[in-house]
Amino acid sequence: MKDLSFMFVLLMSLAVSLLGASALAAPAGPTAVSPALAFYYGANPPWDELQAFDIVVVEPDHVPDPKLAVLTHTRLAAYVALGEVQPSRPYASSIPKAWLRGENKDWGSRLLDQSQPEWPRFFTETLITPLWNRGYRTFFLDTLDSYHLFAKTPEERAIQEAGMVAVVNALKQRYPQAKLIFNRGFEILPRTHAQVEAVVAESLFQGYDAGKASYKIVPEADRLWLLGQLQRVKEEFQLPVIVIDYVPSSQRELARQTARRITALGFTPWVATPDLATLGVGAIEVMPRKVLVVHSPVKDEYELRTLGPVRLAAMPLNYLGYVPEYVDPHRLPGQALAGRYAGVVVWLTKETGSDERQKLLTWLERQTQERIPFALITPPNLLLDSALGHSLGLRLKYLPTKKAPVEVTQQDALMGFERPPRPELDDFFSLSLSIGRPLLTLKRGDDLQVAAAVTPWGGYVLAPYGVVALPGNAGNRWVIDPFGFLRQALQLPDMPVPDVTTATGRRMFMVHMDGDGFISRSELSGNPMAGEVVRDRVVSKYAVPMTISVIEAELSPQGLYPGLSSMAEKVARDIFRAPNVAIASHSYSHPFIWRKASASEANAGYNLRLPGYQFNLQREIEGSIRYIEDRLAPPDKKVDMFFWTGDCIPGSDALALTRKIGVFNMNGGDTVSTRSTPSVAQVEGLGLQREGGFQVFAPNQNENVYTNNWQGPFYGFERVIETFEFTEKPRRLKPINIYFHTYLTTKLAGMKSLDKVFAYAMAQDTTPVFVSDYARQVLDFQRMAVARAATGWRLRGASHLRTLRMPVAMGFPDLEKSSAIAGYRAGPTDSYIHLGSDAAELLVRPVESAALRLVSANARVVSFGLTAGGLRWHLEGNVALKFTLANAQACRVRIAGQDLVPTQRIGNLTYYETKAHAARPLEAICRH
């Protein structure tokens, strides 16, 4: 390697202790997957993925402030070249020419004389001190063997080695707490090993010839010599050994095999490309959770929200555990995707120009060479009838118009998901496939069309066999199973995935209200203000966490209704004092169309008509929040959410502002599946990433949609129950979210529908949370790391998201061997696994164990660990605690020394409830 430049809070500790000789199932300490190291010298390091590693060596020029990389469990090490200097380094010009001893032509660097008396001080003060001041504490010293290029005699080499020893001594004397990792340096280890944390060596099995720019298999003699040196490092000096081998990014399986060979020798592997600017394979392999979605160019960022790839592809990808990243053909990434992206979805919805098309074809050709799977959804013919299409085994032939009917001759189980394929004569052309598995084959006369297929390179589905729009605004339907197609075409592996629908084994339940119509009069007896109805008939009646918002212009004395302000503000204060209420802003003037409001003149009709007011983004967001906190909120509460208004399509500037002032954002997303529109095409994803931040979508829509834009029937909101049911089975796609406007309570039918919805939700087995908790989990979902290890799985970045979903076909958590796995709830097809920390190690077993475990609770697991002879859970909830234990038949459960009597026992499950919202340690004493 060379120099390459509420809140009701339930705080409960559940301790499980042992009496007698038999041991309960208890997680052991951290498993053998640690430590894991990665080397990444490229610009813009992929921190989401790198957080899975214990140590990451970076090029400090690309990471000027290591403290900005928030990596709770990862230590950064700075690359520092000791034996050579690149001319591009800032300090290169300060090195006296007399200290230069030639050139390494393979890497374009200058060799450094280690014997110069001032070199140890120069190296420490000029190279190390700036890095130390920036926050680096670990240093990877490279090019420790470069002196061999000019020191040819034993005497010359001894002088250079003594110089390097002096450098190491000077560094450690100046910074005794510095941790050093050597690249080789075998010759000086006898004198420096006590100052070294680990030793690295390159090219044990697979190498790279920089001079020839080619990969190579390491000759046996070289491998045996290096192996001897590494065994000495490990056995004599008792130092960990890291081996870096080099393999093309396209040969991922070879990289895995090489990493396994290195591991078998007792060394820590890192197998990557020689520039160390790709995510390789090490002691763990990070499972890429991002999918690049290529869409047609858009005129502005607001249009992106309307595109099919955003509205239709995001949810299936999210369910599978993946994060879509959207790009158009003008912004295709140039770096290798291996290790960073699980695959590519190309979904063009407009005609592409020749330049755009050629860029995309060239880029896709490179992905085939790199073996990155991609799925083509309704690709244009010009993409198929191209050199790329031919290389993929596709042959397209246009045919003269025939009156012969088109019939289906072959149909895979993935087809006919929500609507059977209905061939149209105008959509038919001949398309053959030389290799792959046809999913749908059509025939007209003697001609065939393979209309959908899964192939070695990915897969495709032609129009209209992906998604079809039904007539009469009846919505979209998937013809192909989007879950199965994307899984197979992108070759996605079975693995545990983060899940934001569930907390501690129970479906999450949340409530939020947009403040529209707060001052409106209700039809209810006495014609109260709608806000009063919310206070008396919602907040006081339903003791569950809810987030209530107001529109400043409706309540403020300077707003639209100054005569009602005093009463409205008092009602708002009453609501915000309730312990189950969190506070949100619904803006100042309620923009109807954010794009137009931000570009319009005063009173242009794109927000509430406030005399003399011209739209101001800071006034809408930060100003409205300050109004609420200054006049309405109790002293111990702050606004923690901003709910988007109108079309709910904010710009990046608005998203950036919410981030800057430290509030979460939500709304948008059009999840409205009902019995009349039973389609996953009506279920949206988690949100949308923009340049300014991530917009969190509401899990489902409000009463406005279910009442035909508040035209009636006003009881229509009860149909949201159909949405809750649709998004629960056969797949749990969303949590339960009661989302409504204040004006819903102005109608008797509306209020009755709201009561009916609450009755349904509160009868379900749920974990009630605030929407801000949900937003935090959605943000965790975007960056959480899942890595495969030799013995199981590593999870990092679960600060708030503490649930994994894993197919039961993969097995069940091995609680005895896993770390920070607090329990799980197994279902017919999937298990919901509770994480007890932001970092965990998951090992699996083929069958369930008989160990005591936490099956579910209506509270979030904050922490989990061992106690003397037992276990402890720390749970935080928002309602009276309910929890279920498995295999607790022989256990006494006590709170503060008082026995807790189970509410029931069914099989191996024991159910408990307590009225307390807070509990002292809950202890279970188990006898065999």
Side-chain angles (χ1 to χ4, degrees):
M1 186 190 312
K2 302 301 177 183
D3 185 359
L4 304 171
S5 306
F6 122 100
M7 174 174 173
F8 292 135
V9 178
L10 173 65
L11 301 176
M12 185 205 76
S13 295
L14 175 58
V16 182
S17 303
L18 306 184
L19 292 180
S22 67
L24 293 175
T31 59
V33 298
S34 181
L37 285 84
F39 294 76
Y40 195 91
Y41 295 172
N44 302 312
W47 298 123
D48 293 351
E49 289 77 16
L50 291 173
Q51 69 175 321
F53 295 90
D54 301 296
I55 300 175
V56 178
V57 181
V58 298
E59 166 52 66
D61 285 356
H62 291 151
V63 190
D65 187 353
K67 296 184 292 295
L68 293 179
V70 183
L71 304 171
T72 307
H73 301 279
T74 304
R75 174 158 46 108
L76 294 185
Y79 173 94
V80 186
L82 175 58
E84 303 180 14
V85 60
Q86 283 280 349
S88 60
R89 292 290 183 182
Y91 57 83
S93 60
S94 301
I95 298 177
K97 291 183 179 180
W99 296 7
L100 303 178
R101 296 292 303 273
E103 184 180 5
N104 185 334
K105 295 182 179 180
D106 287 347
W107 297 97
S109 54
R110 305 299 300 276
L111 305 173
L112 291 167
D113 185 356
Q114 303 296 307
S115 68
Q116 293 295 326
E118 291 298 310
W119 172 237
R121 182 189 61 80
F122 182 96
F123 181 84
T124 301
E125 294 182 0
T126 307
L127 279 72
I128 300 301
T129 294
L131 297 175
W132 186 273
N133 292 339
R134 283 154 54 182
Y136 286 100
R137 296 295 181 266
T138 303
F139 305 93
F140 174 54
L141 303 185
D142 193 22
T143 62
L144 300 187
D145 58 355
S146 295
Y147 67 94
H148 286 283
L149 293 175
F150 62 83
K152 301 301 182 181
T153 68
E155 293 77 14
E156 290 177 328
R157 291 193 289 269
I159 292 172
Q160 295 299 313
E161 292 160 7
M164 283 194 291
V165 171
V167 171
V168 172
N169 289 336
L171 193 163
K172 289 293 290 185
Q173 184 176 3
R174 178 68 177 83
Y175 300 107
Q177 295 177 332
K179 296 182 181 296
L180 305 182
I181 302 174
F182 280 9
N183 188 1
R184 298 202 175 200
F186 303 130
E187 298 85 353
I188 66 171
L189 276 176
R191 288 173 281 177
T192 61
H193 65 88
Q195 299 167 305
V196 178
E197 182 180 19
V199 174
V200 175
E202 301 165 82
S203 304
L204 182 60
F205 295 106
Q206 303 288 334
Y208 183 78
D209 188 324
K212 297 180 181 179
S214 63
Y215 292 90
K216 64 179 183 180
I217 298 175
V218 176
E220 184 177 8
D222 293 349
R223 181 168 62 254
L224 291 175
W225 178 87
L226 179 57
L227 185 58
Q229 298 294 320
L230 299 180
Q231 293 290 3
R232 182 188 180 202
V233 171
K234 183 179 179 182
E235 296 170 6
E236 180 179 340
F237 301 128
Q238 298 291 298
L239 291 175
V241 172
I242 300 102
V243 172
I244 304 175
D245 271 19
Y246 299 120
V247 168
S249 58
S250 61
Q251 298 187 33
R252 196 71 173 177
E253 187 52 43
L254 176 59
R256 296 185 183 110
Q257 293 171 6
T258 304
R260 287 194 290 267
R261 294 177 70 184
I262 295 169
T263 301
L265 296 171
F267 308 143
T268 298
W270 182 249
V271 186
T273 52
D275 58 359
L276 295 177
T278 56
L279 270 175
V281 180
I284 60 174
E285 180 183 3
V286 176
M287 309 305 289
R289 291 187 53 242
K290 294 181 174 65
V291 171
L292 204 65
V293 179
V294 183
H295 59 82
S296 299
V298 292
K299 60 183 179 182
D300 56 38
E301 63 172 330
Y302 300 94
E303 187 184 2
L304 179 63
R305 173 68 186 89
T306 69
L307 294 183
V310 174
R311 295 184 297 104
L312 300 170
M315 187 279 292
L317 288 171
N318 290 161
Y319 178 80
L320 294 170
Y322 293 85
V323 178
E325 287 190 1
Y326 301 98
V327 297
D328 64 34
H330 297 297
R331 300 183 296 117
L332 298 170
Q335 78 270 26
L337 303 188
R340 300 186 69 161
Y341 293 90
V344 176
V345 173
V346 180
W347 193 338
L348 304 178
T349 54
K350 302 176 184 178
E351 290 292 332
T352 57
S354 57
D355 290 344
E356 295 166 353
R357 186 166 59 250
Q358 190 54 52
K359 286 179 182 178
L360 179 58
L361 289 169
T362 302
W363 185 80
L364 286 174
E365 179 62 37
R366 189 160 75 248
Q367 305 319 309
T368 62
Q369 296 168 2
E370 293 288 324
R371 300 180 185 177
I372 302 297
F374 55 89
L376 306 176
I377 298 182
T378 63
N381 291 355
L382 290 173
L383 204 63
L384 303 172
D385 191 18
S386 64
L388 171 67
H390 298 161
S391 70
L392 300 179
L394 299 171
R395 291 293 184 273
L396 182 149
K397 183 171 63 174
Y398 295 101
L399 303 168
T401 301
K402 295 181 180 179
K403 294 184 179 181
V406 180
E407 58 181 326
V408 175
T409 63
Q410 176 267 332
Q411 180 175 325
D412 188 88
L414 289 180
M415 304 304 298
F417 181 68
E418 295 178 337
R419 176 184 168 93
R422 297 178 180 177
E424 296 289 341
L425 189 63
D426 293 342
D427 297 319
F428 188 89
F429 53 87
S430 175
L431 183 65
S432 62
L433 175 69
S434 63
I435 183 170
R437 187 178 105 242
L439 302 178
L440 180 65
T441 305
L442 311 177
K443 183 178 181 181
R444 190 181 72 180
D446 296 328
D447 299 307
L448 297 177
Q449 180 190 78
V450 180
V454 173
T455 69
W457 46 266
Y460 68 92
V461 56
L462 304 181
Y465 310 111
V467 180
V468 294
L470 301 187
N473 294 319
N476 298 308
R477 299 291 186 273
W478 281 96
V479 178
I480 197 169
D481 177 352
F483 306 100
F485 174 67
L486 290 170
R487 180 187 292 278
Q488 294 182 32
L490 300 182
Q491 302 164 22
L492 305 177
D494 285 338
M495 66 178 188
V497 298
D499 187 284
V500 299
T501 69
T502 303
T504 323
R506 304 184 183 206
R507 191 179 187 186
M508 284 196 294
F509 163 39
M510 65 202 74
V511 181
H512 80 288
M513 186 194 83
D514 288 350
D516 310 46
F518 194 93
I519 47 77
S520 299
R521 288 294 172 178
S522 173
E523 293 178 349
L524 275 64
S525 177
N527 301 119
M529 183 180 287
E532 293 180 281
V533 181
V534 170
R535 178 191 64 193
D536 302 334
R537 294 282 299 270
V538 180
V539 172
S540 297
K541 182 178 181 179
Y542 301 110
V544 294
M546 54 185 71
T547 302
I548 305 296
S549 70
V550 295
I551 302 168
E552 180 184 348
E554 284 197 3
L555 277 68
S556 167
Q558 290 75 41
L560 294 171
Y561 312 102
L564 298 174
S565 175
S566 178
M567 179 180 181
E569 289 192 331
K570 178 187 180 302
V571 172
R573 293 188 193 103
D574 292 343
I575 291 172
F576 292 156
R577 277 195 299 267
N580 60 323
V581 169
I583 309 173
S585 169
H586 199 42
S587 81
Y588 170 59
S589 72
H590 195 285
F592 305 131
I593 303 175
W594 283 80
R595 171 180 55 189
K596 293 184 177 182
S598 62
S600 70
E601 298 298 325
N603 297 323
Y606 300 118
N607 54 310
L608 295 177
R609 293 182 176 272
L610 289 158
Y613 173 67
Q614 185 168 345
F615 180 88
N616 180 280
L617 189 61
Q618 192 159 357
R619 182 67 186 86
E620 292 293 336
I621 298 175
E622 187 171 13
S624 64
I625 290 172
R626 297 294 167 258
Y627 159 76
I628 294 171
E629 293 183 344
D630 291 345
R631 294 184 60 89
L632 306 180
D636 59 339
K637 284 187 182 180
K638 298 291 184 181
V639 173
D640 65 358
M641 294 288 295
F642 186 89
F643 294 156
W644 303 114
T645 64
D647 65 352
C648 296
I649 307 179
S652 288
D653 52 354
L655 286 163
L657 183 54
T658 60
R659 290 182 61 192
K660 180 180 177 181
I661 62 180
V663 298
F664 298 100
N665 78 89
M666 199 166 77
N667 279 351
D670 295 322
T671 295
V672 290
S673 294
T674 62
R675 291 169 190 162
S676 56
T677 56
S679 173
V680 297
Q682 304 297 118
V683 182
E684 289 228 37
L686 298 177
L688 181 59
Q689 180 68 51
R690 312 277 185 83
E691 185 177 342
F694 189 87
Q695 178 183 354
V696 179
F697 288 168
N700 50 257
Q701 268 300 335
N702 55 61
E703 84 294 328
N704 195 52
V705 175
Y706 294 89
T707 60
N708 299 303
N709 294 322
W710 201 235
Q711 299 300 305
F714 297 115
Y715 59 81
F717 188 46
E718 65 185 41
R719 297 197 66 189
V720 74
I721 296 172
E722 298 173 25
T723 304
F724 297 158
E725 292 172 339
F726 183 87
T727 54
E728 170 68 1
K729 294 180 180 180
R731 301 171 183 87
R732 182 176 291 173
L733 302 176
K734 294 287 180 179
I736 292 174
N737 176 209
I738 300 180
Y739 169 29
F740 64 102
H741 292 92
T742 321
Y743 60 71
L744 175 63
T745 67
T746 65
K747 295 291 184 180
L748 180 59
M751 190 65 234
K752 286 183 177 179
S753 71
L754 186 58
D755 284 333
K756 185 174 183 178
V757 172
F758 266 103
Y760 171 88
M762 297 183 71
Q764 307 305 305
D765 189 23
T766 64
T767 297
V769 301
F770 288 100
V771 290
S772 58
D773 298 326
Y774 174 75
R776 289 182 178 93
Q777 294 188 41
V778 169
L779 296 179
D780 274 2
F781 182 94
Q782 309 308 308
R783 64 179 304 267
M784 194 166 163
V786 178
R788 180 165 50 196
T791 55
W793 303 90
R794 168 174 284 195
L795 300 311
R796 290 276 176 90
S799 298
H800 306 280
L801 200 172
R802 294 292 176 88
T803 297
L804 299 175
R805 176 170 36 84
M806 185 176 75
V808 295
M810 291 180 61
F812 303 90
D814 190 329
L815 301 178
E816 294 91 339
K817 296 179 180 179
S818 298
S819 175
I821 300 300
Y824 66 92
R825 184 174 192 168
T829 60
D830 297 290
S831 292
Y832 291 96
I833 302 169
H834 330 317
L835 301 182
S837 173
D838 62 339
E841 310 286 346
L842 170 64
L843 280 70
V844 299
R845 51 182 293 155
V847 296
E848 292 193 81
S849 76
L852 174 71
R853 75 174 191 273
L854 176 65
V855 175
S856 71
N858 60 351
R860 173 178 175 266
V861 177
V862 176
S863 64
F864 168 73
L866 299 173
T867 62
L871 311 174
R872 173 172 290 157
W873 293 268
H874 179 179
L875 305 178
E876 286 188 3
N878 301 298
V879 294
L881 179 66
K882 296 181 182 181
F883 64 96
T884 304
L885 299 177
N887 307 312
Q889 299 91 329
C891 297
R892 289 174 58 201
V893 178
R894 302 185 301 182
I895 294 179
Q898 299 296 315
D899 286 352
L900 189 63
V901 179
T903 58
Q904 62 176 328
R905 284 195 172 103
I906 301 176
N908 70 329
L909 301 181
T910 307
Y911 300 82
Y912 299 90
E913 296 182 11
T914 176
K915 294 180 180 179
H917 289 176
R920 294 177 181 177
L922 177 63
E923 191 177 39
I925 302 175
C926 305
R927 301 176 185 271
H928 62 88

